[in-house]
């Protein structure tokens, strides 16, 4: 088997593995009491990641350059980045929820690259003069990894909005910034001295209120479910989320915040490296090329997201909406501006 046949076999194998992995993750979400499904999902993502790495390595050996020169190669590198970020997020959070949203996206991108693109776009071609530079690997690979991380973070934010039904709920997770609200009803001042904090408003506790009972032995906090008549008019009993949904939403919010926090430095480094390469190739650090403009817009969107969370203390629905809009912005930056075939970055695309 030569390298071209190996690549053709690997891209189809990757699609098959990701398709089965998607079904496994969805089955694991439907039947959480089956632990084997979680293990199979993680194994499937790892196998897909290994298949793509082997494919890109064979491509590198065959063509003699880092495989990021056309749409086919960049799509598979993007899927490799998504699966790598998925494994990182899953291992960090100890949650199998990530694969429910990342597996179908990775599978869809793989299907588009392997089954939809014409054969002439899938074959390796000699590099154009502008791409014959070490910056091809240094700049493009970092940008693609940042796209992968930001996409995964945005997908998790979309999942958060679906789980919470768009409601503005109160979270207690560790991803809340300096201006956010985070309290469990107590604050430890020093050993042996337990001081209670003011009770949280009912709407901020998703339908539960806290009252303190001093029985002479210390303060005891009890959660009472508020009836529909006791709730403010902005919330009804039907709108309250179950504890399971709240726990799921908190996990999704936390993972999304951390993954976007990983992708933002990568896109910053990628833009800086691209500016240096542009000055070397075209004599200007910034030309307001469509790709450069949308890369800046992408950077600003996620910079606003992190600023809102870290500095302004936003949490829940508002930053999730901002991150979800970032998913569209990333795709426009990566693929949308190249569909027109205009600009300095249009190499090996549709037109």
């Amino acid at each position: 088997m030569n390298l071209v046949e190996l690549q053709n076999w690997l891209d189809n194998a990757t699609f098959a593995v990701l398709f089965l992995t998607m079904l496994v993750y969805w089955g694991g979400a439907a039947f959480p009491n089956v632990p084997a499904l979680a293990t199979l999902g993680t194994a499937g993502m790892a196998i897909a990641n290994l298949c793509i790495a082997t494919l890109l390595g064979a491509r590198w050996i065959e063509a003699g350059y880092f495989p990021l020169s056309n749409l086919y190669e960049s799509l598979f590198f993007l899927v490799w980045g998504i699966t790598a970020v998925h494994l990182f997020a899953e291992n960090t959070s100890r949650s199998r929820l990530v694969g429910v949203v990342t597996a179908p996206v990775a599978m869809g991108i793989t299907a588009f690259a392997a089954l939809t693109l014409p054969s002439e776009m899938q074959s390796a071609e000699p590099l154009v003069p502008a791409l014959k530079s070490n910056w091809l690997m240094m700049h493009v690979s970092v940008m693609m990894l940042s796209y992968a991380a930001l996409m995964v973070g945005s997908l998790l934010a979309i999942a958060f909005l679906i789980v919470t039904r768009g409601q503005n709920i109160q979270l207690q997770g560790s991803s809340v910034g300096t201006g956010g609200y985070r309290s469990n009803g107590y604050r430890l001042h020093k050993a042996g001295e337990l001081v209670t904090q003011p009770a949280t408003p009912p709407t901020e506790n998703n339908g539960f209120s806290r009252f303190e009972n001093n029985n002479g032995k210390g303060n005891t906090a009890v959660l009472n479910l508020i009836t529909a008549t006791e709730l403010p008019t902005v919330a009804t009993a039907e709108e309250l989320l179950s504890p399971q949904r709240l726990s799921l939403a908190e996990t999704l919010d936390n993972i999304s915040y951390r993954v976007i926090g990983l992708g933002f430095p990568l896109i910053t480094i990628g833009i800086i490296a691209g500016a240096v390469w542009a000055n070397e190739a075209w004599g200007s650090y910034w030309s307001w090329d469509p790709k450069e403009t949308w890369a800046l817009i992408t950077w600003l969107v996620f910079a606003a997201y992190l600023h809102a969370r870290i500095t302004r203390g936003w949490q829940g629905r508002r930053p999730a909406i901002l991150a979800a809009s970032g998913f569209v912005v990333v795709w426009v930056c990566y693929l949308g501006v190249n569909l027109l075939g205009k600009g300095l970055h249009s190499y090996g695309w549709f037109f």
Side-chain angles (χ1 to χ4, degrees):
M1 179 183 295
N2 59 34
L3 291 177
V4 176
E5 293 176 347
L6 177 62
Q7 294 170 41
N8 293 334
W9 184 86
L10 284 172
D11 62 8
N12 288 283
T14 301
F15 166 73
V17 169
L18 286 174
F19 179 75
L20 294 175
T21 302
M22 177 188 70
L23 297 180
V24 168
Y25 272 114
W26 286 0
F31 304 99
N33 295 326
V34 183
L37 293 177
T39 304
L40 287 175
T42 304
M45 276 295 194
I47 293 171
N49 183 273
L50 182 60
C51 286
I52 297 173
T54 306
L55 185 154
L56 294 175
R59 187 87 163 193
W60 194 348
I61 295 172
E62 176 205 357
Y65 57 80
F66 193 72
L68 274 175
S69 64
N70 60 23
L71 180 59
Y72 176 83
E73 295 168 353
S74 67
L75 284 172
F76 268 101
F77 191 88
L78 178 65
V79 177
W80 180 85
I82 290 175
T83 55
V85 172
H86 162 91
L87 293 172
F88 168 80
E90 193 174 66
N91 181 68
T92 302
S93 64
R94 304 295 180 185
S95 172
R96 298 298 185 265
L97 301 171
V98 185
V100 176
V101 290
T102 57
V105 172
M107 186 273 296
I109 298 173
T110 303
F112 175 70
L115 308 176
T116 304
L117 291 180
S119 57
E120 57 269 18
M121 293 190 67
Q122 298 185 20
S123 60
E125 299 289 343
L127 285 178
V128 298
L131 297 180
K132 293 180 179 179
S133 171
N134 291 329
W135 287 104
L136 173 65
M137 180 173 61
M138 299 170 64
H139 163 62
V140 183
S141 62
V142 174
M143 289 298 295
M144 296 304 298
L145 286 175
S146 72
Y147 292 159
L150 295 176
M151 283 182 185
V152 172
S154 299
L155 284 170
L156 294 171
I158 294 172
F160 170 86
L161 292 173
I162 295 173
V163 168
T164 60
R165 303 168 186 167
Q167 297 185 48
N168 192 20
I169 65 172
Q170 177 66 48
L171 299 175
Q172 305 289 332
S174 61
S175 66
V176 184
T178 56
Y181 173 88
R182 189 191 313 152
S183 171
N184 61 0
Y186 291 102
R187 181 176 57 194
L188 290 175
H189 283 252
K190 59 183 179 180
E193 181 184 357
L194 185 62
V195 182
T196 59
Q197 290 182 338
T200 306
T203 55
E204 294 183 345
N205 275 316
N206 200 55
F208 288 87
S209 66
R210 182 189 302 275
F211 71 88
E212 309 297 336
N213 178 24
N214 193 339
N215 57 9
K217 298 181 181 179
N219 290 328
T220 302
V222 181
L223 287 178
N224 273 0
L225 179 64
I226 301 175
T227 63
T229 57
E230 296 174 311
L231 285 173
T233 57
V234 296
T236 64
E238 289 76 19
E239 293 177 329
L240 299 179
L241 301 178
S242 66
Q244 292 80 7
R245 276 183 174 264
L246 279 176
S247 177
L248 176 60
E250 201 162 271
T251 301
L252 290 171
D253 177 78
N254 204 337
I255 303 173
S256 173
Y257 173 73
R258 295 185 181 192
V259 173
I260 291 176
L262 171 68
F264 184 75
L266 289 175
I267 195 173
T268 304
I269 295 171
I271 291 175
I272 294 173
V276 176
W277 187 14
N279 182 64
E280 179 183 297
W282 304 318
S284 174
Y285 287 100
W286 197 267
S287 305
W288 292 106
D289 177 76
K291 177 74 80 172
E292 296 173 350
T293 303
W294 277 95
L296 178 61
I297 293 173
T298 304
W299 187 89
L300 290 173
V301 168
F302 288 101
Y305 169 86
L306 293 175
H307 171 75
R309 295 205 65 145
I310 297 173
T311 305
R312 304 299 299 174
W314 283 19
Q315 59 167 314
R317 181 178 62 185
R318 290 189 297 176
I321 292 174
L322 189 57
S325 66
F327 182 76
V328 178
V329 173
V330 170
W331 272 110
V332 172
C333 177
Y334 167 60
L335 192 60
V337 295
N338 294 89
L339 294 176
L340 301 176
K342 298 178 181 179
L344 299 171
H345 288 79
S346 299
Y347 301 113
W349 297 78
F350 289 120
F351 304 106

